[in-house]
């Protein structure tokens, strides 16, 4: 599993500036800063625009329409190769690897934002040490009472054991006898040995670690003893480890235990070749050794190859094909045999010499044993319900547990039926590994090209029969096996979920290979099932309609017979009618998200015109037609620093706030371009915030608070969650469709203000941790804002967020502005005659800025809902240089 599980080291600087005991934020992924009327430049927040390929697919109407846009697997696990996982530079083999971007697990997303650093860990230790009454507490007593003793426990070991104990309590049926024996041996380890193992577990797990670089942990007083404990061979009971029903899904021999095991491997027993050892040297160490061996190379890889080649060469005359000749045949045979033996001994001695020399440089090394490591990875997969976790994932749940925070009331339900049997778990692992291989081909090594696309298709064809079996099993399970609302989330832990995603990728690859018939058949098969990846149905409908309109009529021509012009037109007409029916079906499909409706409507109208359908029978989408955003230009004074380097990447610009309030000394404030534009709009009678998506997430949390914490099995697995585990998946909306649609009707009828007041009364005093809800927004501002919205428009925006909460977080326009009816300008009086005010979203752009696909999507969503959208161009009328 180490080839498809991601653990990254969190950044040294935390996004949160709040302490453990006060001021935690409740937003997802990053803390929401308090909304302010003015903010200085050093407080300006960088945009968090997450590119999502589904946006691009929904907006892609030009040349690239023929193909799905690349999917960066927003709903799939982030994956790492075991050789390139992140860690401290000194932890591994002397080579540095750049840390990957931190991706949140579902469990981590559901917990409050936690700043994990040395200060917080020290506070945790102080809190736990205050619970100890007797300084002499045995290890057994500590395990039973969960008491903490300074120097005898740590947050990392506690979190690791919490995951193990929770899994074995609820889902012990997923592990075999030998694995349970491993767990018993783990509990018998000393604290220092456990601490050493966990710290290595969070590092580059496929690497060897030099013992001399593992001596900096203050929790370990006797490093040699801790390492010896991990290296000690331990016996396992005899017997069959893997049942016959499991064998086809256990792809790697490292999963299977022999009759003995150790928690770690030592270099003396496992490093046998010069090539293995050479990779453990740093570049400088390798250069020194290569100089002694008289080999050369341009980089580390070249030096290793040259070094290994030199060790394999024969130094005798035989290496150049020469033989000593003799008239005596028997003497020649004896000489040849003797010479070959001497040469072999020389080669062996040379390899042994350089192997010893390398190991003398590195010193003793240790690495985690693969079978045990894979076993603990599986434990964490079951605990986190995810193939990705980080050091922060291990500690967040502990810190959330001890925090002085208030959480909503909900029913905690950790079910043991996520994986009905060990067979399902192993097959899920195997499917995730295959999904990683497909992602690697498509995205991690550049454009795949024709060869890469063919490999993706081959991968899919290898699992296609099993995928179809899983679809049938899922249909049956959905009818008989799942309780109310739980199927959508549990299906994400089926191999069918990963295989369906591979099928989606294969359809994309088939399109790029111009195998349109195969692509069309696969799209039809994907659409025929309703259970896996419902959020992608809009993209499948859109692509299917395009293939029907453009390509299918040609595929009916045989190579030997060509259509006449009349036959061509007849075939085109027939397939256009089929494409039209596809668009109609898509628009009626409740799982086809709103973001796809505009493109489908546009294609439908075009097809009706091409088919000469009478106007009275054509569809009319005038009510949903997009309005082009208005364009405003605001002039201001831009500030440029003298030391600003040239050729640097795009940075936030600094402007002088001429229309805003001065600072305490009476000087004009230095602000961001968004704040400068906000000051201008305030002079025009608007109220508002520079919040990007923050204010919409806050409104969503207010309006759907009770629905967020509605009982759905398996999505509340701890008492410290700010949202259900499925909120960031495509299972959230279908599982609560009835309640969400009822709430949307209530909002459409003007009930948003009452909903906000009710939640505010219930939770503001306690400042309950609810995902997305920023308590720093004044409730009266929020009520006034929703009163200015057209109720149907607010409901449409909420539906878009509910359908895909995770993906819709980025791209919201920078400024959210509103003004009441009596403050509206004369040219807007007619809109305000009904007593409502006016809402306007403003996307601010300075010189050389361009709209991203996610921003275009939100502009389309808002425009389709009838909300006023403005593109505001900030122009520098003057540029001043500052120190």
């Amino acid at each position: 599993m180490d080839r498809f599980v991601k653990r990254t080291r969190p950044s040294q600087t935390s996004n949160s500036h709040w302490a453990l005991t006060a001021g935690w934020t409740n937003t997802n992924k990053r803390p929401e800063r308090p909304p302010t009327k003015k903010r200085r430049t050093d407080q300006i927040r960088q945009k968090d625009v997450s590119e999502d390929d589904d946006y691009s697919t929904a907006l892609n109407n030009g040349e690239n329409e023929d193909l799905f846009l690349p999917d960066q697997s927003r709903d799939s696990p982030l994956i790492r190769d075991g050789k390139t996982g992140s860690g401290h530079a000194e932890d591994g083999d002397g080579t540095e690897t750049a840390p990957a971007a931190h991706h949140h697990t579902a469990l981590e997303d559901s917990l409050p934002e936690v700043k994990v650093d040395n200060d917080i860990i020290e506070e945790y230790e102080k809190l736990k040490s205050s619970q100890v009454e007797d300084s002499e507490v045995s290890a057994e007593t500590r395990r039973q009472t969960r008491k903490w003793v300074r120097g005898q426990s740590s947050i990392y070991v506690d979190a690791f054991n919490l995951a193990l104990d929770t899994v074995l309590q609820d889902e012990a049926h997923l592990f075999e006898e030998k694995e349970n024996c491993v767990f018993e041996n783990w509990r018998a380890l000393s604290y220092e040995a456990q601490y050493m193992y966990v710290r290595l577990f969070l590092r580059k797990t496929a690497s060897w670690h030099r013992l001399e670089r593992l001596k900096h942990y203050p929790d370990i007083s006797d490093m040699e003893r801790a390492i010896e404990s991990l290296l000690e061979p331990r016996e396992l009971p005899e017997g069959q480890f893997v049942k016959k029903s499991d064998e086809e899904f256990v792809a790697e021999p490292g999963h299977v235990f022999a009759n003995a095991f150790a928690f770690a491997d030592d270099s003396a027993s496992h490093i046998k070749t010069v090539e293995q050892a050479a990779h453990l040297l740093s570049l400088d160490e390798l250069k020194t050794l290569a100089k002694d061996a008289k080999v050369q190379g341009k980089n580390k890889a070249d030096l290793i190859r040259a070094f290994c080649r030199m060790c394999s060469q024969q130094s005798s005359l035989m290496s150049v094909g020469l033989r000593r000749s003799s008239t005596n045949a028997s003497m020649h045979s004896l000489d040849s045999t003797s010479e070959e033996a001497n040469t072999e001994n020389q080669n062996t001695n040379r390899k042994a010499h350089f192997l010893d020399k390398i190991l003398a440089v590195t010193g003793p090394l240790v690495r985690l044993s693969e079978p045990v490591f894979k076993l603990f990875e599986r434990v964490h997969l079951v605990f986190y319900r995810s193939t990705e976790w980080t050091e922060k994932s291990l500690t967040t749940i502990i810190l959330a547990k001890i925090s002085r925070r208030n959480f909503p009331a909900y029913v905690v339900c950790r079910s043991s039926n996520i994986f009905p049997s060990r067979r399902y778990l192993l097959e899920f692992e195997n499917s995730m590994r295959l999904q990683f291989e497909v992602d690697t081909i498509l995205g991690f090594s550049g454009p795949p090209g024709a060869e890469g696309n063919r490999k993706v298709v081959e991968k899919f064809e290898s699992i296609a029969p099993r995928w179809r079996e899983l679809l049938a099993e899922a249909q049956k399970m959905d009818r008989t096996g799942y309780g109310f609302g739980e199927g959508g989330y549990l299906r994400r832990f089926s191999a069918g979920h990963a295989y369906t995603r591979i099928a989606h990728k294969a359809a994309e690859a088939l399109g790029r290979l111009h195998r349109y018939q195969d692509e069309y058949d696969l799209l039809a098969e994907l659409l025929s099932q309703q259970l896996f990846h419902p959020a992608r149905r809009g993209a499948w409908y859109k692509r299917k309609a395009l293939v029907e309109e453009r390509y299918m009529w040609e595929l009916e021509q045989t190579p030997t017979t060509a259509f006449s012009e009349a036959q061509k037109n007849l075939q085109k007409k027939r397939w256009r009618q089929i494409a039209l029916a596809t668009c109609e079906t898509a628009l009626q499909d409740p799982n086809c998200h709103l973001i796809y409706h505009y493109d489908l409507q546009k294609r439908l109208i075009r097809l009706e015109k091409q088919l000469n359908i009478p106007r009275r029978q054509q569809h009319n989408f005038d009510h949903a037609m997009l309005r082009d955003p208005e364009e405003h230009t605001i002039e201001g004074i831009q500030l440029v620093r003298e030391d600003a380097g040239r050729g640097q990447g795009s940075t936030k610009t600094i402007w002088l706030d001429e229309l805003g309030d001065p600072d305490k000394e009476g000087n004009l404030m230095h602000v961001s371009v968004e704040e400068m534009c906000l000051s201008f709009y305030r002079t025009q009678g608007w109220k508002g915030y520079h919040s990007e998506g923050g204010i919409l997430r806050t409104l969503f949390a207010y309006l759907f608070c009770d629905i967020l914490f509605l009982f759905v099995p398996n999505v509340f697995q701890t008492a410290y969650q700010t949202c259900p585990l499925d909120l960031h998946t495509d299972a959230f909306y279908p599982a609560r469709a009835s309640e969400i649609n009822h709430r949307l009707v209530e909002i459409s009828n003007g009930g948003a203000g009452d909903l906000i007041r009710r939640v505010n009364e219930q939770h503001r005093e306690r400042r309950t941790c609810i995902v997305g809800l920023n308590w720093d927004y004044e409730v009266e501002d929020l009520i006034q804002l929703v009163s200015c919205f057209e109720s149907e428009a607010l409901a449409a925006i909420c539906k878009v967020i509910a359908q895909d909460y995770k993906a819709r977080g980025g791209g919201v326009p920078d400024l959210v502005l509103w003004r009441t009816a009596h403050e509206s300008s004369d040219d807007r009086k007619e809109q305000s005659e009904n007593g409502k005010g006016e809402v306007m979203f403003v996307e601010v752009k300075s010189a050389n800025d361009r709209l991203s696909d996610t921003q275009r999507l939100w502009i389309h969503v808002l425009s389709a809902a009838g909300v006023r959208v403005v593109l505001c161009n900030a122009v520098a009328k003057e540029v001043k240089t500052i120190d």
Side-chain angles (χ1 to χ4, degrees):
M1 260 179 67
D2 57 318
R3 294 192 178 278
F4 69 97
V5 177
K6 177 62 182 178
R7 288 191 301 282
T8 58
R9 194 181 69 178
S11 170
Q12 296 297 325
T13 59
S14 174
N15 288 335
S16 174
H17 60 280
W18 301 104
L20 175 66
T21 57
W24 286 11
T25 58
N26 303 320
T27 55
N28 170 45
K29 292 191 177 182
R30 59 183 172 87
E32 185 70 45
R33 296 181 185 269
T36 58
K37 302 299 181 181
K38 300 292 179 193
R39 283 182 291 179
R40 294 186 180 275
T41 302
D42 59 357
Q43 296 175 316
I44 296 171
R45 181 185 60 205
Q46 298 289 333
K47 284 186 180 180
D48 180 21
V49 178
S50 59
E51 298 294 338
D52 186 273
D53 60 291
D54 282 341
Y55 305 152
S56 301
T57 303
L59 298 169
N60 183 30
N61 301 312
E63 298 176 7
N64 295 330
E65 190 181 16
D66 283 356
L67 296 175
F68 293 135
L69 293 186
D71 182 350
Q72 298 304 323
S73 63
R74 59 178 172 78
D75 64 342
S76 68
L78 181 67
I79 301 159
R80 72 142 170 86
D81 189 327
K83 295 183 179 181
T84 58
S86 63
H88 298 282
E90 69 271 14
D91 294 344
D93 56 7
T95 60
E96 290 191 26
T97 55
H102 174 55
H103 284 238
H104 292 242
T105 67
L107 185 58
E108 188 179 335
D109 276 330
S110 71
L111 298 172
E113 184 73 23
V114 177
K115 179 183 178 182
V116 182
D117 58 16
N118 292 334
D119 293 337
I120 296 300
I121 293 175
E122 183 178 351
E123 185 168 349
Y124 168 78
E125 293 178 349
K126 289 180 180 178
L127 177 64
K128 297 297 283 185
S129 63
S130 67
Q131 301 173 353
V132 181
E133 299 174 356
D134 183 2
S135 59
E136 300 296 330
V137 181
S138 67
E140 183 63 27
T141 302
R142 187 179 70 254
R143 281 194 294 272
Q144 293 176 356
T145 62
R146 293 299 175 191
K147 293 285 187 178
W148 184 89
V149 182
R150 180 173 294 280
Q152 293 297 308
S153 185
S154 81
I155 190 171
Y156 302 107
V157 177
D158 287 353
F160 191 93
N161 286 328
L162 174 65
L164 178 61
D165 293 345
T166 303
V167 168
L168 293 184
Q169 178 181 349
D170 299 331
E171 292 158 287
H173 64 282
L174 299 176
F175 302 95
E176 294 285 348
E177 180 184 0
K178 288 187 177 182
E179 294 172 325
N180 287 319
C181 184
V182 173
F183 298 144
E184 292 174 5
N185 279 272
W186 166 262
R187 291 192 176 96
L189 287 176
S190 67
Y191 160 72
E192 292 190 356
Q194 286 190 352
Y195 182 88
M196 186 75 260
Y197 186 93
V198 173
R199 297 303 289 179
L200 293 180
F201 186 79
L202 294 170
R203 292 186 178 193
K204 296 193 295 183
T205 49
S207 298
W208 288 95
H209 306 279
R210 301 186 187 187
L211 293 189
E212 62 182 18
R213 294 177 177 173
L214 299 178
K215 297 181 179 180
H216 60 280
Y217 292 123
D219 286 58
I220 301 180
S221 59
D222 191 342
M223 176 63 68
E224 292 183 0
R225 184 176 179 182
I227 296 296
E228 287 177 1
S229 180
L230 295 178
L231 294 174
E232 178 186 346
R234 303 167 191 271
E235 293 186 357
L236 289 173
E238 296 183 0
Q240 185 75 15
F241 171 71
V242 182
K243 297 179 180 179
K244 290 184 178 180
S245 60
D246 297 338
E247 290 178 350
E248 60 178 305
F249 304 118
V250 181
E252 298 185 16
H255 283 185
V256 181
F257 286 94
N259 292 327
F261 81 99
F263 286 99
D265 301 329
D266 65 320
S267 53
S269 302
H270 291 81
I271 299 178
K272 300 297 185 182
T273 68
V274 172
E275 184 176 6
Q276 289 176 330
H279 282 91
L280 306 177
L281 298 175
S282 67
L283 181 59
D284 290 338
E285 292 168 341
L286 194 58
K287 285 181 178 178
T288 301
L289 191 65
K291 186 176 181 180
D292 295 341
K294 298 180 181 180
V295 297
Q296 296 179 342
K298 295 181 179 179
N299 50 44
K300 185 174 181 179
D302 288 345
L303 285 172
I304 292 176
R305 281 194 292 268
F307 194 74
C308 294
R309 193 182 308 115
M310 180 274 298
C311 290
S312 300
Q313 288 176 345
Q314 297 178 350
S315 59
S316 67
L317 293 176
M318 291 177 63
S319 63
V320 292
L322 299 179
R323 292 284 190 276
R324 286 185 296 176
S325 59
S326 174
T327 56
N328 189 318
S330 61
M331 179 62 72
H332 172 75
S333 176
L334 290 173
D335 289 345
S336 176
T337 302
S338 176
E339 188 169 354
E340 289 177 358
N342 289 336
T343 300
E344 184 176 351
N345 290 334
Q346 290 176 10
N347 291 335
T348 302
N349 292 336
R350 184 186 299 107
K351 293 178 180 179
H353 168 73
F354 281 108
L355 180 59
D356 293 340
K357 205 166 185 179
I358 293 173
L359 294 180
V361 173
T362 63
L365 301 105
V366 65
R367 73 175 179 188
L368 299 186
S369 173
E370 184 182 29
V372 181
F373 165 67
K374 289 181 180 295
L375 174 60
F376 281 126
E377 276 195 329
R378 186 178 300 129
V379 169
H380 283 74
L381 180 151
V382 176
F383 178 74
Y384 287 105
R385 311 304 198 206
S386 172
T387 55
E388 54 177 285
W389 63 87
T390 65
E391 178 177 312
K392 185 178 178 182
S393 301
L394 285 174
T395 56
T396 297
I397 191 170
I398 294 289
L399 295 178
K401 184 176 180 179
I402 67 171
S403 69
R404 302 181 182 95
R405 300 298 294 167
N406 296 310
F407 295 89
Y410 52 80
V411 178
V412 177
C413 172
R414 183 179 177 91
S415 173
S416 61
N417 65 344
I418 291 282
F419 300 105
S421 70
R422 175 181 173 81
R423 170 182 176 273
Y424 282 88
L425 173 59
L426 296 179
E427 185 176 19
F428 178 68
E429 283 186 24
N430 192 55
S431 69
M432 299 306 296
R433 189 175 296 110
L434 184 62
Q435 179 177 285
F436 165 67
E437 294 174 6
V438 171
D439 285 339
T440 302
I441 295 170
L442 288 176
F444 296 162
S445 56
E451 183 61 29
N453 287 317
R454 278 192 286 270
K455 288 181 179 179
V456 171
V457 174
E458 290 172 2
K459 294 283 186 185
F460 169 70
E461 290 174 346
S462 68
I463 55 96
R466 179 58 183 161
W467 173 57
R468 295 182 178 100
E469 291 176 5
L470 290 170
L471 291 182
E473 290 178 11
Q475 293 284 358
K476 181 179 178 181
M477 192 70 176
D478 190 64
R479 290 191 298 268
T480 61
Y482 290 132
F484 172 74
E486 66 177 339
Y489 184 63
L490 293 184
R491 278 192 294 270
R492 297 183 63 83
F493 304 98
S494 160
H497 186 269
Y499 288 164
T500 303
R501 185 172 177 275
I502 294 172
H504 167 77
K505 297 292 187 181
E508 176 185 338
L510 289 168
R512 289 199 173 105
L513 293 171
H514 307 296
R515 293 171 54 181
Y516 298 117
Q517 183 65 61
D518 293 334
E519 180 192 11
Y520 181 74
D521 294 340
L522 183 52
L523 287 170
E525 203 166 0
L526 286 166
L527 286 167
S528 67
Q529 59 86 31
Q530 301 273 348
L531 301 179
F532 296 110
H533 294 277
R536 298 185 186 273
R537 294 183 67 80
W540 295 336
Y541 277 122
K542 181 184 169 187
R543 177 63 184 176
K544 181 172 179 283
L546 183 146
V547 173
E548 289 167 341
E549 178 186 357
R550 294 191 180 181
Y551 305 116
M552 292 306 295
W553 69 271
E554 290 185 285
L555 298 177
E556 294 192 347
Q557 295 185 84
T558 61
T560 56
T561 60
F563 285 155
S564 65
E565 196 64 29
Q567 289 175 317
K568 286 182 181 180
N569 292 334
L570 188 62
Q571 289 296 326
K572 286 181 180 180
K573 181 177 180 180
R574 185 169 73 87
W575 279 105
R576 284 171 180 166
Q577 290 171 337
I578 296 174
L580 187 146
T582 298
C583 293
E584 291 177 332
T585 303
L587 292 171
Q588 295 170 11
D589 189 336
N591 288 323
C592 179
H593 288 187
L594 285 176
I595 63 169
Y596 298 104
H597 282 202
Y598 174 68
D599 288 336
L600 290 165
Q601 290 166 355
K602 201 165 68 168
R603 184 177 298 280
L604 183 59
I605 292 172
R606 185 172 68 244
L607 288 169
E608 287 178 334
K609 291 180 179 179
Q610 292 173 347
L611 292 169
N612 296 320
I613 293 177
R615 188 170 184 83
R616 65 179 181 277
Q617 297 179 12
Q618 293 182 13
H619 290 82
N620 185 352
F621 299 112
D622 289 344
H623 64 284
M625 285 293 98
L626 301 183
R627 296 179 300 179
D628 291 333
E630 303 174 30
E631 289 202 31
H632 295 175
T633 300
I634 297 178
E635 295 183 342
I637 299 175
Q638 185 176 356
L639 304 178
V640 179
R641 299 188 181 278
E642 287 183 350
D643 57 353
R646 296 185 177 181
Q648 296 180 352
S650 175
T651 58
K652 300 288 284 186
T653 56
I654 306 172
W655 298 72
L656 202 61
D657 192 359
E658 300 175 273
L659 303 175
D661 298 329
D663 60 18
K664 294 180 180 179
E665 299 176 358
N667 299 321
L668 295 179
M669 294 181 65
H670 298 180
V671 299
S672 68
V673 64
E674 294 87 357
E675 295 293 337
M676 187 267 291
C677 294
L678 183 57
S679 293
F680 168 80
Y681 284 112
R682 287 203 186 100
T683 65
Q684 307 299 310
W686 294 93
K687 299 179 182 179
Y689 293 102
H690 170 211
S691 66
E692 298 175 2
I695 200 164
L696 290 186
R697 288 193 294 270
T698 294
L699 286 176
F700 185 84
Y702 269 110
L703 298 174
F704 291 83
C705 180
D706 55 338
I707 296 176
L708 282 170
F709 299 99
L710 187 71
F711 173 71
V712 174
N714 304 302
V715 299
F716 294 106
Q717 300 193 17
T718 76
Y720 318 105
Q721 293 179 208
T722 64
C723 68
L725 292 179
D726 64 345
L727 176 63
H728 301 91
T729 74
D730 56 10
F732 174 78
Y733 179 77
R736 303 161 182 83
S738 177
E739 291 80 5
I740 291 174
N741 290 333
H742 185 272
R743 180 58 46 84
L744 293 173
V745 172
E746 188 176 353
I747 294 171
S748 298
N749 291 333
D754 293 336
L755 290 169
I756 291 176
R757 289 189 186 92
R758 187 190 313 159
V759 173
N760 187 70
E761 291 171 0
Q762 294 172 351
H763 297 283
R764 178 168 286 275
E765 184 177 352
R766 300 174 66 243
R767 295 180 75 86
T768 307
C769 290
I770 301 173
V771 65
L773 201 157
N774 187 341
W775 292 109
D776 293 307
Y777 288 109
E778 295 292 337
V779 67
E780 294 305 322
D781 282 347
L782 297 177
I783 293 173
Q784 193 176 75
L785 172 58
V786 298
S787 70
C788 293
F789 262 107
E790 289 292 335
S791 299
E792 294 81 2
L794 182 58
I797 293 171
C798 289
K799 185 173 183 179
V800 168
I801 297 174
Q803 286 180 332
D804 203 339
Y805 187 93
K806 179 179 180 180
R808 305 303 166 237
V812 180
D814 301 298
L815 308 181
V816 179
L817 308 172
W818 70 92
R819 57 186 176 191
T820 56
H822 68 276
E823 296 170 326
S824 296
S825 59
D826 292 338
D827 60 334
R828 297 278 171 175
K829 287 293 184 183
E830 66 280 359
Q831 181 177 335
S832 304
E833 289 177 355
N834 58 2
K836 282 190 173 292
E838 183 181 7
V839 176
M840 181 169 70
F841 285 77
V842 180
E843 180 64 41
V844 178
K845 293 297 177 186
S846 55
N848 301 321
D849 277 351
R850 299 176 60 187
L851 289 173
S852 69
D853 288 334
T854 55
Q855 291 168 335
R856 290 192 185 95
L857 169 70
W858 265 110
I859 289 174
H860 282 205
V861 168
L862 295 168
S863 298
V867 179
R868 187 179 177 190
V869 183
V870 170
L871 288 180
C872 179
N873 299 305
V875 178
K877 64 181 180 182
E878 182 181 353
V879 178
K880 290 185 177 181
T881 303
I882 58 176
D883 296 335

